[in-house]
Amino acid sequence: MNIYGIRAIYIYEMSRTLRTITQSIASPILSTTLYFVVFGAAIGSRMGEIDGISYGAFIIPGLLMLSLLNESISNASFGIYFPKFMGTIYEIHSAPISPMEIVIGFVGAAVSKSVILGLLILATARLFVDYEIAHPVWMVGFLLLTAVTFSLFGFIIGLWADDFQKLQVIPLMVIMPLTFLGGAFYSIDMLPEPWHTVSLFNPVVYLVSGFRWSFYGVADVNVATSLGMICFFMLICLAAITWIFKTGYRLKS
Amino acid sequence: MEPVISIKGITKTYASGLQALKNINLDIHRGEIFALLGPNGAGKTTLINIVCGIVTPSEGSVCVDGHDILNDYRLARARIGLVPQELLTAAFESVEATMNFSRGLFGKPSDPVVIERILRDLSLWDKRKAKVMTLSGGMKRRLLIAKALSHEPQIIFLDEPTAGVDVELRRDMWEMVRQLRERGVTIILTTHYIEEAEEMADRIGVINNGKIIVVEEKATLMDKLGKKQLALTLQAPLTQLPSELLNYPLELSADGYALTYTFDAQQEHSGIHELLRSLDSLGIDFKDLHSSESSLEEIFVSLVKE
Ligand SMILES: Nc1ncnc2c1ncn2[C@@H]1O[C@H](COP(=O)(O)OP(=O)(O)O)[C@@H](O)[C@H]1O
Ligand SMILES: [Mg+2]
């Protein structure tokens, strides 16, 4: 196993984050904070409780998930897309490093960033809203699983994209709508039919619901189902990456 | 001695359907400087990229130090450093950071002493904190070489190392190549400049249209294929070649003062003796004569034409 190789990629990626700290850390924290201020503090005080939780506190897990998804995807996709775009990927191809090690380096760095960001957002939220975490271990578990899964997904997008537009299109056209309709701002139990049933086809619903359960012990869908869905999606991503490296699709001629 | 790189039956057909390499067989000897000489589009880069793991071969196999490049890629690749043809560098990282990255990627623990030595050798030490994008083109080229050397490989590939490089850097580069060879490093370089191959290489392989045409020791290649010329400057101009001289490979210059006789250097019997006697009997006087060897350039052109 090429530990030094994994480490080199990891350090390289993390230093990219530090270099662009405003964009990669400060800006997602700021935008999430604005949500807390607007929906939590300003509007939230006029809203009724949901499942016995104040609205300000209710939206925290969902908002955190939203940032986590976006940042995981964009970090991991950009991380692998950029060397492809610059042509510097030749060095990685010519190095004695296995596909799995390359993935660990890139995805590991993207996951680290996302988790750090998630924890920072959580700490910031505390300044505006009172919340508690009923199952901290599960909370961290969900945080990690989601970060890993969506960093893997982002990595696939970065491998697949051969121009900047393709890099943006899936996060914008697919992920954004899914997260906004994923029950971050409401409980899907509040939706009339058929929208309630339609929502059950949205994978983000399971993420948000499971994550919210780890905070407040209430969930829209069964927690085991949530966990199962994340793991299922992660396996799909892993299978796709294995296939890409095996066939060299969009990587090698 | 076992070759350090053994290429067997390599064929590459790109997705476009273009066959860039056709059944390449080539052995590289340990410790030599090998020049792969061929015009643009001949398949030099494709061949190098296959050995280095960047392009997947369609058929055939390559062994590096006895390790198959596909099944044993870790051991094979760890031995190789590649300086690509294009100036492909990161932008925002410092010189030092990209050096550490390269070394780590090839599975070596960081070693500031080695990195310092390489950067000093390539006159980049003063620039170690500079961002790569602030370097000049020549310095980026040096950095690519430094990166390729960062993991102390036993084999170095230089893909058209002097394309767009100034005289000074070219000189430094050849100096460095010689030093590397003294340390026992095997060097494979590609070029389409014949003088470069002639100046640097121990052996030369000529590639054209995806096929290796000839592989020889440089001296042998020149001997074997070299033509010699004898140039005669006449006392009085000739308007045309006398019929007695027509079966000699002779050329008369436009002004009628110069006769050029071409002969095979490797042939025992040059025919010069007979020629001079014929000239004498025809009463053609000359005031000067000198012979010259044809350059690798001419050899190359004649090979590629065949
Ligand atoms: N990725 C690629 N896809 C399709 N054709 C390619 C690719 N790379 C190179 N070629 C073609 O293969 C041939 C050999 O190219 P190359 O190996 O770069 O030659 P050289 O390095 O000798 O100039 C050329 O005709 C080139 O156009
Ligand atoms: Mg080339």
Side-chain angles (χ1 to χ4, degrees), chain A residues 79-103:
Chain A
I80 185 70
Y81 176 78
F82 200 60
K84 262 190 359 171
F85 176 72
M86 297 291 285
T88 51
I89 192 139
Y90 84 86
E91 212 180 359
I92 293 174
H93 283 324
S94 66
I97 188 166
S98 74
M100 202 37 80
E101 289 157 1
I102 296 172
V103 173

mmCIF file of all heavy atoms in Angstrom, chain A residues 79-103:
data_model
loop_
_atom_site.group_PDB
_atom_site.id
_atom_site.type_symbol
_atom_site.label_atom_id
_atom_site.label_comp_id
_atom_site.label_asym_id
_atom_site.label_seq_id
_atom_site.Cartn_x
_atom_site.Cartn_y
_atom_site.Cartn_z
ATOM 1 N N GLY A 79 -11.750 18.660 -6.908
ATOM 2 C CA GLY A 79 -10.437 18.108 -6.572
ATOM 3 C C GLY A 79 -9.873 17.223 -7.664
ATOM 4 O O GLY A 79 -8.688 17.315 -7.996
ATOM 5 N N ILE A 80 -10.693 16.385 -8.265
ATOM 6 C CA ILE A 80 -10.191 15.483 -9.306
ATOM 7 C C ILE A 80 -10.337 16.114 -10.686
ATOM 8 O O ILE A 80 -9.538 15.856 -11.589
ATOM 9 C CB ILE A 80 -10.876 14.088 -9.246
ATOM 10 C CG1 ILE A 80 -10.250 13.116 -10.250
ATOM 11 C CG2 ILE A 80 -12.374 14.177 -9.480
ATOM 12 C CD1 ILE A 80 -8.873 12.674 -9.906
ATOM 13 N N TYR A 81 -11.321 16.998 -10.854
ATOM 14 C CA TYR A 81 -11.497 17.624 -12.166
ATOM 15 C C TYR A 81 -10.326 18.541 -12.512
ATOM 16 O O TYR A 81 -9.867 18.567 -13.650
ATOM 17 C CB TYR A 81 -12.802 18.426 -12.210
ATOM 18 C CG TYR A 81 -12.987 19.162 -13.518
ATOM 19 C CD1 TYR A 81 -13.419 18.480 -14.648
ATOM 20 C CD2 TYR A 81 -12.683 20.510 -13.626
ATOM 21 C CE1 TYR A 81 -13.552 19.131 -15.860
ATOM 22 C CE2 TYR A 81 -12.817 21.179 -14.832
ATOM 23 C CZ TYR A 81 -13.248 20.487 -15.941
ATOM 24 O OH TYR A 81 -13.361 21.139 -17.137
ATOM 25 N N PHE A 82 -9.845 19.274 -11.523
ATOM 26 C CA PHE A 82 -8.833 20.295 -11.794
ATOM 27 C C PHE A 82 -7.537 19.718 -12.381
ATOM 28 O O PHE A 82 -7.064 20.205 -13.407
ATOM 29 C CB PHE A 82 -8.570 21.119 -10.531
ATOM 30 C CG PHE A 82 -7.939 22.443 -10.818
ATOM 31 C CD1 PHE A 82 -8.588 23.368 -11.629
ATOM 32 C CD2 PHE A 82 -6.699 22.753 -10.303
ATOM 33 C CE1 PHE A 82 -8.005 24.587 -11.920
ATOM 34 C CE2 PHE A 82 -6.101 23.978 -10.584
ATOM 35 C CZ PHE A 82 -6.753 24.896 -11.392
ATOM 36 N N PRO A 83 -6.949 18.677 -11.770
ATOM 37 C CA PRO A 83 -5.760 18.082 -12.394
ATOM 38 C C PRO A 83 -6.039 17.533 -13.795
ATOM 39 O O PRO A 83 -5.177 17.565 -14.657
ATOM 40 C CB PRO A 83 -5.363 16.942 -11.457
ATOM 41 C CG PRO A 83 -6.180 17.072 -10.254
ATOM 42 C CD PRO A 83 -7.268 18.052 -10.483
ATOM 43 N N LYS A 84 -7.252 17.060 -14.014
ATOM 44 C CA LYS A 84 -7.602 16.589 -15.354
ATOM 45 C C LYS A 84 -7.574 17.760 -16.319
ATOM 46 O O LYS A 84 -7.034 17.688 -17.406
ATOM 47 C CB LYS A 84 -9.025 15.996 -15.349
ATOM 48 C CG LYS A 84 -9.042 14.505 -15.226
ATOM 49 C CD LYS A 84 -10.394 13.850 -15.455
ATOM 50 C CE LYS A 84 -11.552 14.740 -15.761
ATOM 51 N NZ LYS A 84 -12.751 14.020 -16.179
ATOM 52 N N PHE A 85 -8.177 18.859 -15.872
ATOM 53 C CA PHE A 85 -8.279 20.066 -16.684
ATOM 54 C C PHE A 85 -6.894 20.650 -16.979
ATOM 55 O O PHE A 85 -6.591 21.040 -18.095
ATOM 56 C CB PHE A 85 -9.148 21.089 -15.940
ATOM 57 C CG PHE A 85 -9.267 22.413 -16.611
ATOM 58 C CD1 PHE A 85 -10.019 22.546 -17.775
ATOM 59 C CD2 PHE A 85 -8.647 23.530 -16.078
ATOM 60 C CE1 PHE A 85 -10.138 23.773 -18.393
ATOM 61 C CE2 PHE A 85 -8.758 24.759 -16.688
ATOM 62 C CZ PHE A 85 -9.500 24.877 -17.850
ATOM 63 N N MET A 86 -6.023 20.667 -15.955
ATOM 64 C CA MET A 86 -4.687 21.236 -16.110
ATOM 65 C C MET A 86 -3.731 20.275 -16.820
ATOM 66 O O MET A 86 -2.659 20.666 -17.240
ATOM 67 C CB MET A 86 -4.086 21.568 -14.743
ATOM 68 C CG MET A 86 -4.829 22.619 -13.959
ATOM 69 S SD MET A 86 -4.674 24.250 -14.712
ATOM 70 C CE MET A 86 -2.986 24.671 -14.246
ATOM 71 N N GLY A 87 -4.107 19.008 -16.880
ATOM 72 C CA GLY A 87 -3.216 18.021 -17.489
ATOM 73 C C GLY A 87 -2.226 17.417 -16.504
ATOM 74 O O GLY A 87 -1.482 16.512 -16.838
ATOM 75 N N THR A 88 -2.213 17.949 -15.268
ATOM 76 C CA THR A 88 -1.242 17.450 -14.292
ATOM 77 C C THR A 88 -1.587 16.049 -13.792
ATOM 78 O O THR A 88 -0.806 15.445 -13.060
ATOM 79 C CB THR A 88 -1.139 18.392 -13.072
ATOM 80 O OG1 THR A 88 -2.456 18.626 -12.584
ATOM 81 C CG2 THR A 88 -0.516 19.707 -13.456
ATOM 82 N N ILE A 89 -2.725 15.530 -14.203
ATOM 83 C CA ILE A 89 -3.110 14.186 -13.785
ATOM 84 C C ILE A 89 -2.142 13.131 -14.333
ATOM 85 O O ILE A 89 -2.086 12.018 -13.815
ATOM 86 C CB ILE A 89 -4.564 13.872 -14.207
ATOM 87 C CG1 ILE A 89 -5.069 12.605 -13.517
ATOM 88 C CG2 ILE A 89 -4.682 13.692 -15.703
ATOM 89 C CD1 ILE A 89 -6.458 12.687 -13.043
ATOM 90 N N TYR A 90 -1.355 13.506 -15.345
ATOM 91 C CA TYR A 90 -0.379 12.554 -15.891
ATOM 92 C C TYR A 90 0.492 11.984 -14.777
ATOM 93 O O TYR A 90 0.877 10.821 -14.799
ATOM 94 C CB TYR A 90 0.505 13.227 -16.959
ATOM 95 C CG TYR A 90 1.694 13.984 -16.409
ATOM 96 C CD1 TYR A 90 2.898 13.330 -16.142
ATOM 97 C CD2 TYR A 90 1.629 15.338 -16.120
ATOM 98 C CE1 TYR A 90 3.985 14.010 -15.612
ATOM 99 C CE2 TYR A 90 2.691 16.033 -15.588
ATOM 100 C CZ TYR A 90 3.875 15.359 -15.336
ATOM 101 O OH TYR A 90 4.928 16.036 -14.794
ATOM 102 N N GLU A 91 0.776 12.853 -13.808
ATOM 103 C CA GLU A 91 1.679 12.438 -12.736
ATOM 104 C C GLU A 91 1.038 11.339 -11.877
ATOM 105 O O GLU A 91 1.706 10.397 -11.471
ATOM 106 C CB GLU A 91 2.004 13.662 -11.872
ATOM 107 C CG GLU A 91 3.386 13.574 -11.312
ATOM 108 C CD GLU A 91 3.754 14.754 -10.443
ATOM 109 O OE1 GLU A 91 2.936 15.682 -10.280
ATOM 110 O OE2 GLU A 91 4.866 14.726 -9.913
ATOM 111 N N ILE A 92 -0.245 11.491 -11.626
ATOM 112 C CA ILE A 92 -0.951 10.488 -10.829
ATOM 113 C C ILE A 92 -1.055 9.175 -11.606
ATOM 114 O O ILE A 92 -0.843 8.101 -11.053
ATOM 115 C CB ILE A 92 -2.344 11.016 -10.436
ATOM 116 C CG1 ILE A 92 -2.166 12.202 -9.476
ATOM 117 C CG2 ILE A 92 -3.195 9.927 -9.787
ATOM 118 C CD1 ILE A 92 -3.439 12.912 -9.109
ATOM 119 N N HIS A 93 -1.331 9.276 -12.908
ATOM 120 C CA HIS A 93 -1.401 8.061 -13.732
ATOM 121 C C HIS A 93 -0.069 7.324 -13.776
ATOM 122 O O HIS A 93 -0.043 6.107 -13.879
ATOM 123 C CB HIS A 93 -1.796 8.417 -15.163
ATOM 124 C CG HIS A 93 -3.247 8.702 -15.321
ATOM 125 N ND1 HIS A 93 -4.210 8.026 -14.615
ATOM 126 C CD2 HIS A 93 -3.906 9.582 -16.104
ATOM 127 C CE1 HIS A 93 -5.388 8.499 -14.964
ATOM 128 N NE2 HIS A 93 -5.237 9.441 -15.851
ATOM 129 N N SER A 94 1.017 8.085 -13.755
ATOM 130 C CA SER A 94 2.321 7.439 -13.908
ATOM 131 C C SER A 94 2.906 7.006 -12.572
ATOM 132 O O SER A 94 3.996 6.451 -12.530
ATOM 133 C CB SER A 94 3.292 8.376 -14.632
ATOM 134 O OG SER A 94 3.565 9.499 -13.824
ATOM 135 N N ALA A 95 2.191 7.273 -11.479
ATOM 136 C CA ALA A 95 2.715 6.953 -10.150
ATOM 137 C C ALA A 95 2.325 5.538 -9.724
ATOM 138 O O ALA A 95 1.306 5.007 -10.166
ATOM 139 C CB ALA A 95 2.199 7.963 -9.138
ATOM 140 N N PRO A 96 3.134 4.935 -8.861
ATOM 141 C CA PRO A 96 2.814 3.591 -8.379
ATOM 142 C C PRO A 96 1.736 3.624 -7.303
ATOM 143 O O PRO A 96 1.989 3.307 -6.146
ATOM 144 C CB PRO A 96 4.156 3.104 -7.806
ATOM 145 C CG PRO A 96 4.879 4.345 -7.415
ATOM 146 C CD PRO A 96 4.427 5.427 -8.349
ATOM 147 N N ILE A 97 0.555 4.047 -7.690
ATOM 148 C CA ILE A 97 -0.525 4.200 -6.722
ATOM 149 C C ILE A 97 -1.784 3.573 -7.325
ATOM 150 O O ILE A 97 -2.038 3.716 -8.517
ATOM 151 C CB ILE A 97 -0.713 5.704 -6.369
ATOM 152 C CG1 ILE A 97 -1.693 5.878 -5.218
ATOM 153 C CG2 ILE A 97 -1.138 6.530 -7.568
ATOM 154 C CD1 ILE A 97 -1.654 7.268 -4.605
ATOM 155 N N SER A 98 -2.534 2.856 -6.488
ATOM 156 C CA SER A 98 -3.697 2.132 -7.016
ATOM 157 C C SER A 98 -4.911 3.059 -7.066
ATOM 158 O O SER A 98 -4.956 4.068 -6.356
ATOM 159 C CB SER A 98 -4.006 0.931 -6.127
ATOM 160 O OG SER A 98 -4.591 1.383 -4.927
ATOM 161 N N PRO A 99 -5.895 2.720 -7.895
ATOM 162 C CA PRO A 99 -7.115 3.525 -7.959
ATOM 163 C C PRO A 99 -7.728 3.733 -6.578
ATOM 164 O O PRO A 99 -8.145 4.839 -6.240
ATOM 165 C CB PRO A 99 -8.046 2.693 -8.838
ATOM 166 C CG PRO A 99 -7.135 1.911 -9.705
ATOM 167 C CD PRO A 99 -5.911 1.626 -8.886
ATOM 168 N N MET A 100 -7.754 2.664 -5.777
ATOM 169 C CA MET A 100 -8.365 2.782 -4.462
ATOM 170 C C MET A 100 -7.617 3.804 -3.608
ATOM 171 O O MET A 100 -8.227 4.587 -2.887
ATOM 172 C CB MET A 100 -8.379 1.400 -3.793
ATOM 173 C CG MET A 100 -9.409 1.240 -2.706
ATOM 174 S SD MET A 100 -10.992 2.085 -3.010
ATOM 175 C CE MET A 100 -11.795 0.927 -4.106
ATOM 176 N N GLU A 101 -6.289 3.816 -3.731
ATOM 177 C CA GLU A 101 -5.494 4.773 -2.955
ATOM 178 C C GLU A 101 -5.734 6.205 -3.429
ATOM 179 O O GLU A 101 -5.777 7.138 -2.620
ATOM 180 C CB GLU A 101 -4.009 4.414 -3.058
ATOM 181 C CG GLU A 101 -3.668 3.153 -2.283
ATOM 182 C CD GLU A 101 -2.406 2.453 -2.766
ATOM 183 O OE1 GLU A 101 -1.756 2.952 -3.703
ATOM 184 O OE2 GLU A 101 -2.071 1.397 -2.213
ATOM 185 N N ILE A 102 -5.899 6.370 -4.728
ATOM 186 C CA ILE A 102 -6.200 7.700 -5.265
ATOM 187 C C ILE A 102 -7.532 8.183 -4.681
ATOM 188 O O ILE A 102 -7.650 9.316 -4.216
ATOM 189 C CB ILE A 102 -6.288 7.660 -6.808
ATOM 190 C CG1 ILE A 102 -4.934 7.274 -7.396
ATOM 191 C CG2 ILE A 102 -6.749 9.005 -7.360
ATOM 192 C CD1 ILE A 102 -4.947 7.028 -8.894
ATOM 193 N N VAL A 103 -8.518 7.293 -4.676
ATOM 194 C CA VAL A 103 -9.835 7.652 -4.139
ATOM 195 C C VAL A 103 -9.725 8.003 -2.660
ATOM 196 O O VAL A 103 -10.285 9.002 -2.202
ATOM 197 C CB VAL A 103 -10.853 6.505 -4.354
ATOM 198 C CG1 VAL A 103 -12.155 6.813 -3.647
ATOM 199 C CG2 VAL A 103 -11.094 6.277 -5.831
#
